[in-house]
Amino acid sequence: MHVTGTVPPSAPAPQETPAAPAHPDGTTGAASGRHSRRFGLPVATALVMGNIIGGGIFLLPASVAPYGTISLLAFGVLTVGAIALALVFGRLAERDPRTGGPYVYAREAFGDFAGFLAAWAYWITTWVSNAALAVAAVGYLDVLIPVNDHRWSACLAALVLQWLPALANFAGTRYVGAVQLVATVLKFAPLLLVAVGGLFFFDPDNLGPFHAGDGSAIGAVSASAAILLFSYLGVESAAVSAGEVKNPRRTVGRATVIGTAGAALVYLLGTLSVFGTVAHDRLVDSTAPFSDAVNAMFGGAWGGWAVALAALVSMTGCLNGWTLLSAQTPYAAAKDGLFPAPFARRRRGVPTVGVGVTVVLASLLTVYNYTAGSAKVFEILVLVTTFTATVPYLLATAAQLYHLVAGHRDRIDRGRLVRDAVIASVAAGFSLWLVAGAGYAAVYQGVLFLFAGVLVYAVMAARKQRTDAAGGER
């Protein structure tokens, strides 16, 4: 499947399970063994959809409700940008189907520092996202078991929800894929119930004002889009895990586009239905908007409980996939000497050190945000990930533009070149727009994270140069 316009140079047809060099723990890139298994198109698509449709859709209708129904316009614009990113990642993975995604693309095009910056920013995005997902899941757990009445009970619940998927990852990629497929199937029941069924109970009076904020309409669209971006994080999932995908040059692009388009359709219908079934003043303060929507549709509380349970399963599955992704990029960077060597260790197909470090950092961030006492923990975490996610997205789209401009004439399809240059430009402009919408506080915190990474790079690059020099002397 060709998703962009350059024609790759002739090369041997990719094998279903290509050979890979041994890693420090003795495993190979194919991660063979009875506890590991390479993903086909269904599981790769489920990984994309499962990571995209996680905590975001179940909580974000309430998060953007204060902006009014103008946020639906932001959803539409965001979908165009997400599809553009999906097409860019699909083509980049076709060109270079190694594990690591944006890190691999940025490093191959611009060198070690750009690659490290993409890996560092994406790594921050994954573990901060895990903390945000766990906080969102607690809102639905509270429908089943009251935990939000006390700060520490909510914090403990969020920590348990993070560590259970981590344990599944330690068991191996075979179990990660199985959990992801089951969770993706289960989550569609409540989503389709609200997205399709809610249209029959739609009441325009529930929509509230079109523009509820005090600022400009463009500012409201940008601000709501910055929050909504969190619901599209994961579009790069198949590309990041390309080394664990069968026939990645073909499968990654197809899984990315199919998964993103399917998620976008569910998102738009689901958000519209929630807006039309839950009164605006109630939706603004809701911690479980989909449960409130089902209760409004059918009356009573049973429907809300069922949706809360399904949402909890969905978010746990999303945490399962994001936990794997959080370790894949540091793993790829560690193999190149740009992350500490322990991150390159794998067991049963999973970079276990990366999983362990990530879940510990996400847990510490969760505890910090609950102890800080902020009533908007989810929104704060979402905006930080919005900024950090744009760094690898921008570097990846810049790499695509670089390849399109620098390509040899005999390797470029002129018709597709124009199309793909437009797509890459849309993806880059979309990412820059999201940086502006994230707000000063999120950019400030995100830049601090990035600058801390520059110091880490200085140490790792120096060690890498010393190691290379020692190897050359031999």
Side-chain angles (χ1 to χ4, degrees), residues 45-46 49-50 53 58 181-195 259 262-263 265-267 310 314:
T45 303
M49 294 192 71
I53 303 178
F58 286 106
L181 195 57
V182 171
T184 300
V185 172
L186 289 178
K187 77 177 60 178
F188 273 95
L191 287 174
L192 291 177
L193 175 64
V194 175
L265 180 62
V266 173
Y267 272 173
S314 169

Side-chain angles (χ1 to χ4, degrees), residues 31-37 163-179 320 323-324 346-353 355-356:
S32 60
R34 67 188 183 91
H35 295 289
S36 62
R37 181 172 297 168
W163 278 91
L164 288 177
L167 294 177
N169 272 264
F170 286 134
T173 54
R174 175 180 182 180
Y175 302 99
V176 173
V179 170
N320 174 67
T323 300
L324 175 62
R346 300 213 305 183
R347 183 172 178 266
R348 295 176 175 178
V350 175
T352 50
V353 173
V355 169

Side-chain angles (χ1 to χ4, degrees), residues 22-28 346:
H23 301 310
D25 63 351
T27 64
T28 65
R346 300 213 305 183

Side-chain angles (χ1 to χ4, degrees), residues 193-203 268-270 272-273 277 297:
L193 175 64
V194 175
V196 179
L199 298 178
F200 295 95
F201 296 87
F202 192 90
D203 184 354
L268 291 171
L269 289 178
L272 180 63
S273 293
T277 53
M297 289 161 58

